[in-house]
Amino acid sequence: QATAYQTLNYSWSCESPTSSDNICYSEDGEDLKMGKYQESKLTLEPADMAKDTTYVFGLTVSKDVRTKSTSIQIKVLDTGIPKVEVINPLVGGSLNPNAD
């Protein structure tokens, strides 16, 4: 039987429209290290992000069979940027997986 306090599941993804294969690469040409991509907050090291690159980070939150997705686009203009944290944009609001 399901309880009222079931855990939300988080899944982050990354695409890069500035990459020929749409994969997110770091400054050194390796896959971008996304760390703990199954939490509500995604933390990225600034040295890993490539200059003049656009990243589109997607977040899917699910509970049971219900899901809701959102994304944010970030363009790195310079590699001398501070640490980046992309926080669940749904925090502080309500999550209604049945809503469009």
Side-chain angles (χ1 to χ4, degrees):
Q1 178 175 347
T3 66
Y5 300 103
Q6 290 179 327
T7 305
L8 294 175
N9 298 301
Y10 301 91
S11 179
W12 289 91
S13 62
C14 182
E15 294 181 352
S16 179
T18 52
S19 168
S20 62
D21 55 8
N22 223 26
I23 294 175
C24 293
Y25 292 107
S26 63
E27 184 67 22
D28 62 5
E30 299 293 321
D31 287 351
L32 184 65
K33 296 179 182 113
M34 293 184 38
K36 298 178 180 180
Y37 64 91
Q38 293 181 322
E39 295 184 358
S40 63
K41 177 174 69 174
L42 177 67
T43 303
L44 303 165
E45 294 298 325
D48 289 341
M49 301 181 82
K51 181 179 179 182
D52 297 321
T53 300
T54 299
Y55 298 99
V56 179
F57 295 98
L59 171 64
T60 300
V61 181
S62 60
K63 180 178 179 181
D64 303 322
V65 297
R66 299 169 292 171
T67 63
K68 189 71 174 179
S69 297
T70 189
S71 64
I72 186 168
Q73 180 173 304
I74 296 174
K75 177 162 177 136
V76 179
L77 301 175
D78 191 353
T79 55
I81 59 174
K83 187 177 209 176
V84 175
E85 290 185 341
V86 182
I87 299 174
N88 175 1
L90 300 173
V91 169
S94 62
L95 173 66
N96 183 351
N98 296 322
D100 290 331

